[in-house]
Amino acid sequence: MEVVLTPSDLKCDGYELNSEMIKNKTVSVPSGTVINEDIKRSLITSGVKEIVIMKGQHLSPQEELEINCLFDLSVEEIIDNSIDQSLLFEDPLLLEWAKSLFITYLSFPAVREALIQLRENDLISYNHSFHVFMLGVFLINTYKVRNKPLFLLGCLLHDIGKKDVSRGILLKESKLTLEEFDVISSHVKLGARWIQKYFNESLLEEMALSHHERLDGSGYPRKIRGDAISYEVRCLMIIDVISAITLKRPYRSSKTITTALELLFSSIGKYDHDLLEATVNCFKKYPKHSIVRINGEKELFRIIGYFSEEHNRPMLQALHQHTIMTEDVDESNIERFLYWDYNHFLHQYKEVEWNRYLRFILYGDTLCAIKSFEKLTDGLKVEEIYEGIVKKTIIELTNHKEYTEDQKLLGYKTFGEVIDRKAQDYIRKQPSKGKIILTTVGEEQHTFPLKVVSSTLLANGWDVLLYDEELPISDLVMAVQTNHVRVIGFSVTTNDQVSKLEDYIMHLKTYEPYLKVIAGGQALKRYNSNNKVIDYIIEDLKDLQHQLDEMCSETLLDRA
């Protein structure tokens, strides 16, 4: 498929190169062009080490004309179906090189027939494949791939397996069933199989098979991750997503490159971060949450949005002063992209997701509330879930003045269902640290706070007996003695319960003098009684866990 020569191997009557072709240390050229003595000297003085010559079959004038026309038509279709892709075609030398490669690739009958078949089966998939090829050409000097012409052929053929997928499924605009998704997903194996039949090139096969894999292992078909994914495939993964988002579809309008880059950056752990930053600097398109340096400004700025759909006039916020730049600035005023601010993105994402979660809670949509709860709690410890999500939910439902009583009741019910469903996920099989009773005093029920505390303690290895209403002293004493409990926790939220709690504990300790009492709740924030019948006042779950662990280490609890 290719011949590798050094500059000294070249004869001066067989190859013709232009300046675009010789600006890299490795030069890729189609077979059949002519080189003169000046170009040969330029190659040597430029430090070019090798010349890769793509060898296809001889084309008739009519065939070459048809491929030329197909290239020009494909360029027009990309421009017509996108917003900001004209930058791919602005450099005439780069465009000429892309066309010469395209002609060389299609001089192989199998490639030409397969691409024409793909175009006839699904014009959208063909345009996407051509677009990925042109994006690859544009980014090729940014991505340090080892074999540029082979990589770009892989870009063109990465979705060739779709020529054998049913048109009905490929062109379906509504949501795919699981079976239909499996059929479409099979295009990667079909493509790899086709490449294996016609080319003895493992890189081409790998690009077709693995471009839907992700670095975190969430892709398909093999769910490989990290270093198991080659550098060239990592490049293709990014290009493939940019094309998929920025080309118009029958069911949605085209999106900008900036939008595509923001989605790629926000898909944490899925794409190569260094390659993403290189892509931003090549396109000079800056996604929301980018930290940039502006020409003539000492202060750094964060991009917090854009004024128009074309995404060329960014809204800029000074990083340290938090002031919004009011001058008319476009992307050409940005001197340099520094980094993408993940923490700023995460804060905004959590805020939006929190509001969605609350709506699901208030409307009684348990399944959606659970999904939203899982997104908000992803990566958090159980104690952090209580403080950051659960406690916040209780306060929101209790204190928000705009919610009606009916909304609050439905919200409490939904929230309880969420806690019941999720509590099991946090409980780990491990040796018991001891037994603890959780309860309250007074008439107020403490279902939600105690249930959450119980789930937290269960997840951390404690055996919990939960009573969310006040028990008579005799019943509580029996529960303590029967279960060999040496610690009990109370929840108290109103001030009038504090004195009752003290009397309750004093009576309890007359029967069980070695019992340790832990208490927490809003009413105990300023607790300063002289009786000191409460052994530990707990501020939060982290504090509770710390105190229990200390008691456990001092062997105060019965391990029975």
Side-chain angles (χ1 to χ4, degrees):
M1 179 177 179
E2 62 186 39
V3 177
V4 179
L5 303 173
T6 66
S8 61
D9 296 324
L10 290 175
K11 295 180 181 179
C12 297
D13 58 356
Y15 303 97
E16 177 184 304
L17 307 178
N18 59 42
S19 59
E20 175 60 32
M21 295 175 182
I22 67 170
K23 75 180 189 180
N24 302 302
K25 300 301 180 185
T26 299
V27 178
S28 308
V29 297
S31 176
T33 48
V34 179
I35 182 170
N36 58 34
E37 285 291 347
D38 290 337
I39 295 295
K40 184 175 179 180
R41 280 195 296 271
S42 296
L43 287 172
I44 295 170
T45 57
S46 298
V48 171
K49 302 299 183 186
E50 61 182 31
I51 300 94
V52 179
I53 301 171
M54 305 293 295
K55 293 179 67 65
Q57 295 186 10
H58 179 73
L59 292 170
S60 69
Q62 180 62 32
E63 288 173 329
E64 188 164 343
L65 177 62
E66 289 174 356
I67 296 172
N68 258 292
C69 291
L70 178 58
F71 181 87
D72 293 339
L73 177 61
S74 301
V75 168
E76 289 177 13
E77 288 173 340
I78 296 303
I79 293 173
D80 289 343
N81 287 281
S82 61
I83 295 175
D84 54 358
Q85 305 292 315
S86 59
L87 79 168
L88 302 181
F89 314 107
E90 289 173 350
D91 186 337
L93 294 177
L94 200 61
L95 189 59
E96 180 185 344
W97 184 55
K99 179 180 281 191
S100 67
L101 285 173
F102 188 76
I103 292 171
T104 299
Y105 297 151
L106 271 67
S107 70
F108 293 89
V111 173
R112 185 163 67 252
E113 290 168 11
L115 285 173
I116 291 172
Q117 186 181 343
L118 177 63
R119 184 178 174 86
E120 291 173 349
N121 193 44
D122 179 16
L123 180 60
I124 291 174
S125 292
Y126 168 80
N127 281 337
H128 165 67
S129 297
F130 181 81
H131 188 210
V132 168
F133 164 67
M134 289 305 303
L135 285 165
V137 170
F138 183 80
L139 291 161
I140 197 66
N141 291 319
T142 297
Y143 297 163
K144 308 300 181 183
V145 296
R146 293 185 295 273
N147 190 328
K148 292 180 172 64
L150 197 64
F151 172 76
L152 293 173
L153 179 57
C155 289
L156 186 62
L157 297 178
H158 78 286
D159 264 353
I160 202 66
K162 286 186 177 178
K163 71 182 179 61
D164 298 318
V165 175
S166 163
R167 276 173 54 84
I169 295 178
L170 284 173
L171 302 178
K172 184 178 179 182
E173 296 182 15
S174 57
K175 189 173 182 180
L176 296 174
T177 64
L178 288 175
E179 292 78 12
E180 289 169 336
F181 179 77
D182 287 341
V183 172
I184 281 199
S185 300
S186 70
H187 79 275
V188 297
K189 293 182 179 179
L190 293 171
R193 200 174 302 145
W194 181 89
I195 287 170
Q196 192 177 46
K197 179 179 178 181
Y198 289 103
F199 296 94
N200 184 27
E201 294 289 351
S202 59
L203 176 60
L204 295 180
E205 188 179 341
E206 184 67 16
M207 289 173 74
L209 181 65
S210 301
H211 63 275
H212 284 290
E213 301 287 2
R214 298 296 179 255
L215 297 184
D216 62 357
S218 62
Y220 68 85
R222 295 175 292 169
K223 296 191 177 300
I224 56 177
R225 62 174 64 226
D227 292 339
I229 302 174
S230 70
Y231 178 80
E232 287 81 4
V233 171
R234 293 177 187 220
C235 296
L236 176 57
M237 283 159 46
I238 292 172
I239 295 171
D240 184 48
V241 172
I242 291 174
S243 175
I245 293 171
T246 59
L247 282 187
K248 183 168 64 177
R249 295 287 187 267
Y251 49 88
R252 64 158 173 80
S253 61
S254 57
K255 306 297 182 184
T256 63
I257 291 173
T258 311
T259 300
L261 289 169
E262 184 180 339
L263 185 144
L264 285 161
F265 271 106
S266 62
S267 301
I268 306 300
K270 296 184 183 297
Y271 304 95
D272 189 300
H273 197 82
D274 291 338
L275 282 174
L276 284 178
E277 290 190 354
T279 306
V280 170
N281 284 318
C282 183
F283 277 118
K284 300 191 185 307
K285 299 288 183 182
Y286 308 96
K288 186 179 175 184
H289 310 293
S290 293
I291 304 301
V292 297
R293 188 180 298 282
I294 305 297
N295 290 324
E297 296 284 342
K298 292 182 179 180
E299 174 73 280
L300 300 181
F301 288 85
R302 177 188 290 114
I303 295 178
I304 59 175
Y306 279 81
F307 287 106
S308 64
E309 286 188 5
E310 286 73 21
H311 284 198
N312 59 352
R313 291 183 56 235
M315 297 172 59
L316 297 164
Q317 181 184 46
L319 196 57
H320 299 296
Q321 300 176 10
H322 304 295
T323 55
I324 306 297
M325 180 176 276
T326 56
E327 300 174 26
D328 193 14
V329 173
D330 63 30
E331 288 177 326
S332 65
N333 298 115
I334 295 176
E335 177 186 326
R336 191 154 56 98
F337 168 83
L338 299 175
Y339 62 93
W340 192 73
D341 194 342
Y342 168 73
N343 290 328
H344 189 259
F345 156 76
L346 189 63
H347 174 75
Q348 286 202 347
Y349 168 79
K350 293 287 188 182
E351 191 173 321
V352 171
E353 194 59 50
W354 170 257
N355 291 329
R356 281 165 47 85
Y357 160 74
L358 272 183
R359 285 199 303 273
F360 294 142
I361 290 288
L362 290 167
Y363 295 154
D365 192 336
T366 304
L367 290 179
C368 286
I370 288 172
K371 290 180 180 178
S372 202
F373 183 89
E374 288 169 346
K375 290 180 181 178
L376 289 168
T377 56
D378 184 36
L380 298 181
K381 297 178 181 178
V382 178
E383 295 85 350
E384 294 170 332
I385 291 172
Y386 176 76
E387 292 298 322
I389 308 299
V390 176
K391 185 176 178 182
K392 188 177 176 183
T393 305
I394 296 170
I395 293 172
E396 183 78 18
L397 290 174
T398 304
N399 298 336
H400 206 296
K401 296 179 181 179
E402 295 182 7
Y403 300 158
T404 66
E405 288 303 314
D406 287 342
Q407 281 181 312
K408 289 182 179 181
L409 287 173
L410 181 58
Y412 281 126
K413 178 178 179 295
T414 309
F415 181 53
E417 291 170 353
V418 171
I419 293 300
D420 282 340
R421 294 276 291 274
K422 294 307 300 175
Q424 298 304 314
D425 295 345
Y426 305 133
I427 298 173
R428 301 185 293 269
K429 291 183 179 181
Q430 55 187 311
S432 173
K433 292 181 178 180
K435 295 179 181 178
I436 181 171
I437 287 177
L438 296 180
T439 188
T440 186
V441 294
E443 297 179 358
E444 182 182 356
Q445 288 192 349
H446 288 234
T447 304
F448 294 116
L450 288 175
K451 185 179 291 185
V452 174
V453 173
S454 172
S455 298
T456 303
L457 294 178
L458 285 167
N460 283 278
W462 300 93
D463 293 330
V464 180
L465 286 76
L466 177 62
Y467 305 100
D468 58 8
E469 296 181 11
E470 179 185 317
L471 291 179
I473 287 288
S474 58
D475 291 350
L476 191 58
V477 169
M478 182 174 293
V480 168
Q481 294 174 341
T482 303
N483 294 284
H484 307 288
V485 173
R486 288 293 175 265
V487 63
I488 187 168
F490 289 93
S491 173
V492 185
T493 56
T494 60
N495 293 329
D496 60 348
Q497 291 178 341
V498 175
S499 58
K500 182 172 184 178
L501 174 64
E502 291 179 327
D503 292 340
Y504 198 86
I505 293 171
M506 283 190 289
H507 280 90
L508 191 59
K509 286 196 171 184
T510 59
Y511 297 99
E512 291 292 327
Y514 298 107
L515 189 67
K516 293 294 181 181
V517 176
I518 291 176
Q522 193 66 34
L524 294 172
K525 292 290 185 183
R526 295 182 177 84
Y527 178 74
N528 193 24
S529 171
N530 293 325
N531 294 331
K532 300 294 183 185
V533 293
I534 303 174
D535 296 298
Y536 302 99
I537 303 294
I538 302 301
E539 294 185 3
D540 53 36
L541 271 177
K542 187 176 180 181
D543 187 25
L544 170 61
Q545 189 63 41
H546 174 71
Q547 292 293 350
L548 287 176
D549 285 344
E550 282 204 350
M551 294 168 68
C552 182
S553 66
E554 294 168 5
T555 64
L556 293 173
L557 300 183
D558 185 351
R559 300 301 183 100

